[in-house]
Structure formats: C-alpha cells, structure tokens
Amino acid sequence: LVMLVEKFGSDSFSNIAKASTASQIHHNNFIYLDARRVITIDEDAIQDGAVVWHTSEEKFMEIFKEEEAKLGDARDSILNHFIITGYVAINTDGVAVTLKRDGSDYSAAIVGKILRANSISIWTDVDGVLSADPRRVPLANVLPEVSYDEAMELAYFGAKVIHPKTMQPAVSCDPQIPIYIRNTFNMRSPGTRIFTNATTTKQHDKVVCGFSSVEGMALVNVEGTGMVGIRGVDQRIFGVLEKYDVNVALISQAISEHSVTFATLETQAELAKTVIKEEFRRELKLGHISSVDIRAPVSIIAAVGDGMVDTTGVAGRFFSSLGGAKINVLAIAQGSSERNISTVVWSRDSTRALRAVHAAFNLSNMTARVGIIGTSEVGISLLRLFESERDALKSNFDLDVQVCMVCPKSDNGEILSLINDTESGTQSLTIGAVTRVMADPDETTKTTFADENEVAVVSKGGLGICFDTLFRKECTFHAIFDCTNDEASGLYHAGWLRAGIDVITANNRGLSGPKDQREDIKEAEKSNGKQSGVYSTETVVAGGLPIISTLRSLLHSGDKIRRIDGIFTVVKSYVMFRISPPPNVSTCSQFDVTNSNGVFEGDLKTSSSACVGEACSFSQAVREAIQLGLTEDDPSLDLKAEYAARVLMALARELGMDKDNETEQIQMNSDVLADFDDSLDFLNLPPHIDEQVQKRVDAAKDKGCVLRSIASIDVKSKSIQIRILEVPNHHTFAVSPPGCSCVRFFTRRHERYPLIVQGPSAGADSTASALLAELLQRTRGISTPRSLALIRRGSSGAFIHNKHSASMNGSVI
C-alpha cells in the first residue's frame, strides 16, 4: 500500500511528516519522501510542463529498493508506507518547481501511475462530483459514478472538484486507474468513482450526469452576405483571434455561412471585435460584412453525459425545459460525440436555466413557487392538499410545490409569507402556520416541517405585493391560485400573466367581468409570447368536472360545437331536485347498491333532514343548501342566476361569443323561480315565495315533468339563456342527482346523441383536487415524470477493467 499525503504542497508540512518516519505500528513502516526526489517535469514540453515518466519511475524504483534493503530479513513482515509531499516537483535542470493549480491532486495521480495503483483517492471538502453547482442548484446530488470523459467535460465547465490534468495520468495508464473523490469531513460518504464508464451508459433515464456553466462570457457575432460561399473566412477570423491570444470557448455557424458566432471571455470581447474589424476592414467598407456585434454578459450552460450517445429526445427535452422556464437561447453547439450539449443564455437567466434543465432530466425536483388567494373552504383545502401530497409530488412528478404566499382575503391588505424565504430555501407554508397567524397576526408561527429560524409572517400590502413576495428570478415556475369569488382579485389576473406568473383560478369574475377587463386578460396571455403566464380556467365552470378541457378537445380536434346546455350550478341542482324530485328515485339507488360490489353506499341523503325522493318546500331546500355550504356567501348570486351567467360567459369566451355579451345582460334575461328582493333573509324566506314556487312545481308534475334550471349556449342563433324548464321525468336533467352538474355538448360529430359530462361539482376538496390537477397539467411539459423514459437506439458496450496484479500494486490517497 502506498499512501500520498497531499493538499499541503510546501515544505512546512515536511517536519510533521518526518515525525512519522520512525513510527512502526503493527509492522507498518512510514517513510517520508520529498516529491522533488521523484517527480520530474520537462517545462519546455508544453505550457504547464509534462511529466518525464521514465525518469520519475526510475527515481522512485531506486528509492523503493533502498527502503526495502533497509528492512533486511524483516521485509516480508513489514510494509512500507510512503508519505509524499504534494504540489512540488523538480525540472530536468534540477530546479524545484510547482505543479500549479490543483498540483497536490496532480501529484497523487502522477504517483498513482508510477505505481500502477489500484485506485487514486482525492480527499477534498465535498462529498464527490455533484450534478450541478449546489450554490445555484440547491437540490444538486452526488454522482456515484462518472466516466473520465464526463468528468473532464464537467471540470472544463466549472466543476472545481477535480482538474482535467489530474485525470490524465490515470487515463493514460495501462491498465487505467479509477479515481475516487471523497470528503475529508464526511468519511461515511462513498463519494464518486471516476472510471471508464458511468451510470449514464447503464440506466436509460440517466442519460445526463450533470450540468455546468461558464460565467463572464460574451458572444461575438460576425455577419454579412459577403461571407456566403467564400473560402478562408473562418480561417481569417480565428487566425487573428489566435494571434492576439483571444480564447474561443464555443463556435456556432449556420449552414448558410451568413454568420459566425463564437463565445469568448467578456474581458476579451472588445479586443476580439477590434481585431476582427481590422482584419475585415475592406469587407466592412464594401458592405460584404454588415456587422461585428457583441452580446454580453452571457453564460454557457452545458449538459454532460455519455448516455446521450445514440439516445433520441435528449436535445428536445433540454431545449423544451429552457422554453418552459421562459429562457431565450442565444446560441447552440453540439459535437458529433454527443457527449455535450452547450447553449448560451443571458447571464441573468443562467441560474434559472440550470435549475430547469437539472429538473427536466430527473436529477432534482422542479420547484414551483405558488401563492394562494383566499382562505375560504377551497383555499384551505388546497393548502392542506399541497401539504399532504408534497412528498408524493416529488417522487411521482419530480415537482416540489412550495407555498410561499397566502392572501387570506383580497380586500384586507394582508399577506402571509415565509420570513426566511431564501434562494435555496425548501420550506412551505402549512395549515398550522396559516391558521395560527390568522388567529393571532401579531405573532409569527413556525411551520410544521421547518427549522427553528423558519416562520410565517404577516406583511401589509395585500394583492399589490403578491408578485414581489412570490417571484424569484432563479425559480423556473410560479403560479397563483385564485380561490376567491371576488372582483378585486380578478382585476390583478392580467398583471400577473404579463409578469410571467401562471394564474390557476376558480374565480370566474376575471372571465365574466367588464369587457375591458376580459380583453385585457386576453391580451396579457399573448403580450410576451411564451414569457407570459398561462391562464388556467378549468374549475370556473363546474368545479372539478372537465368541462373546459372537454370543450377545447372537441374544438382542437376539428369538431364543430352547435349547442351546449346543462345544469351548471350546484345550488340550482340541489334546490330544484329537492323541490321537484323525479319519481322512483329510490329504485335507482337500490340498483346501484346491489350491483356496485359495496362501492356505492346507497346514501343519497344530502342532509340529516332530507329524504331523497320526497319533495320539500323551496325555503327548506334553500336552508339545507346554505347549511351544507353549497351556496356563495350571498345566496342570491345563485338564486338570481348571476353565478350561472358568469359560467356561461366563461364558456362563451372559449367559443368566441363573449365580445357581444355581458354577464348583466344574460342575468337580466334569465328566468327565476320567484321574485327575490335584496332585503330577503334566505334562511327565513316568507311563505309567499314558497307558494309561488309550489305552483310551478305542481304544474310541471301534472304534465309528468320536473322543474330544472337549464343554462344554454346556442352557437347558430348566438343566444345565451338561463331558463326554468319543465323537464320530462325520465330525462337526463331530471334524474341528475342533487348537487351534481350535468352538461351536454351537441356537436357535428355528436349530433344524434350529445356528449354528456356529469358528476358532483360541489365540495372544496373536489375543487382543490381539480386545481392541483391543473398545476400538474401545466408543469408536465417542464418537469418530465419519471415514467417518461428517453429512447436509446442500439446498445451500449460495457467497459470492463482488467485488474492486473503487480508487485507494487496499491492505493494512492
């Protein structure tokens, strides 16, 4: 066993080493060796000098034989351990020299090759080679294995854990030597093994091992029609750059040869521009070259992995993730080896770019910073859902949802946020944090899974500071959930969209507000192209039912919508069923109990006092709906058809029929069961209301019908209506259960029988689940689920290392 003590690199450590020379513990002999007696460098060979291998090996062999001779007859029972200084060497003239940057690691690699060691261990202050810079990607992880080529690519692009020259002796040795990166301060960590192959060639979903970036760069673009088809242009550009020692890190050229773009250090960009202009002064004067431009500061983002070879879809996922994170790509470069994809982005976007691509290749979770507006039942249910499902979302969707902001009410001017909301933070607001702060705003409260310094705090400013509280430039995805029914929050939707924040709303007032507001939202969705946020509106129509998505699927597939009608509001569904139930409802219930294998419980009772199938008075039905929490804070919004009118406006928007319609107009032309004035107490309605309603119920019953409130949009006649209709007892609308929505689509393809979407749309949990589903749908294209594997063409050859035995085999540390 040969042991190299490194990282000290100067004679100051020699005295400590010499103290160990005389100690013999369990037949181990420790020998101090000055590296200048062995490692010989030819400084004239290359810029940083080259090891004179035969001389170095001969010197070490002489020393080894001398030490073996000192042991005499005990050589078989005593093992020599060499403690060798790092960082220093001697040149061919006998003058002491240094091995420059990372010279101690380089010393270990040199001695490892001299000895034909089994392994080389580099002890440093990190656990190994990381998949990204942890200061910029907090969820970066230690790579258990990387290949020499992958490690060299990562090292060039900024990974500081190992220098490319350190690997050269191990790679050039026969047989090649594995290098282990270990942590001096965490010896339990297995570290990273650098050898001939890596996990990216073995696992199909691990084609990329890591991402790195080079900062402080500039792009220089040389462009002109006179460059097309002219030989020698590139030679002149890069020849003059070489003459003035301008280093080129990346080159990108279109096949048209109309332009050449290259990346260099920002500090050398002006020099490059000047010398190129001088070289092409004649072409610039004649207009053959139109411009020499600089774009700075920029960063180079590189994806590295041997597994990218012959794997389809890697570049697609790489650039899709950047597009999903709203990052503009300035230049692209990839070699035919397929081991590296490099792209240039603005430096202000580099951290966000690294996090986006890191998450896209399942090397970490994508972080979604979200805010919740409104702590009604829906808002609290959504917050509870995020808390309970956070781990499942991480493991199944690579998505870490962090609730960073909660606005209890849109009109009270207060916001709850995390006081320790740092760039690399992973905490999230919880039910406990929110409810306790709301109960006592003067005190902060610890989140349930955070450390002692993480607390929720109340800030003044209301909706106006939502963006500043939520947005972080390094984060790839932001979303605000509007769980209110307030006009105030709807006014902010357009502004949030323009700022690049997704709005996932259960509040239909943004879509059904004044025309100017609706047009502003439409314009905001398109104002900045892909930089704008996405407006998700599925839950504004029927809670958790897929009405909007079904409508869009029909339209996108080329179908033509002719008419949409149905029972859209849960309150109207419940009240109308209770006052006018169809006959023999219990028969259907008994059928489901018998044939559902215990899944259907048979309890269609909607309250303790309700008996399904038995009619009740209108006032009792309204009281039950209020007690069940089915109504808005103001029940008149449902009973006067305002809510249904707003739902119809949302559907009209999808059909392009909202320009000539207003919510108030639809509501004014709607049927209502009775005259409801603003002074009514809906928990105690006067008898004459019940009498008015009962007359209409009895009239329908005499005709074999029930009363139902049906909202409809007829595309051909361009009519939008809400009517109280007498529906035959066995019609779909008649038997739709209380509290359920039932929506029919009459289309060109579904002409004879309509497409029906039916189900319970009531309940905060159902709506919260639908909101979460919208978030997952939105992030699916940004953070790829683990189940979606890349496709690797052909097969990968396995690299096998043949461990040859040698008389001096050992490990270098």
Side-chain angles (χ1 to χ4, degrees), residues 341-402:
I341 299 177
S342 298
T343 186
V344 182
V345 302
W346 291 110
S347 292
R348 62 176 179 269
D349 297 329
S350 62
T351 298
R352 192 163 80 255
L354 278 172
R355 295 188 182 190
V357 294
H358 196 268
F361 285 88
N362 302 329
L363 297 180
S364 66
N365 301 314
M366 186 188 81
T367 299
R369 289 177 59 89
V370 304
I372 297 176
I373 310 298
T375 50
S376 60
E377 290 187 9
V378 173
I380 291 297
S381 180
L382 181 62
L383 187 59
R384 184 182 297 111
L385 189 62
F386 282 143
E387 182 177 354
S388 64
E389 298 299 317
R390 191 180 187 197
D391 290 339
L393 293 175
K394 288 180 181 179
S395 61
N396 296 328
F397 295 93
D398 294 316
L399 180 66
D400 182 16
V401 179
Q402 298 177 7

Side-chain angles (χ1 to χ4, degrees), residues 6-7 122-127 181-188:
E6 33 136 19
K7 296 289 186 187
I122 307 296
W123 290 88
T124 181
D125 57 354
V126 294
D127 286 341
I181 307 298
R182 302 289 302 277
N183 190 345
T184 309
F185 307 103
N186 183 17
M187 300 185 69
R188 293 183 178 180

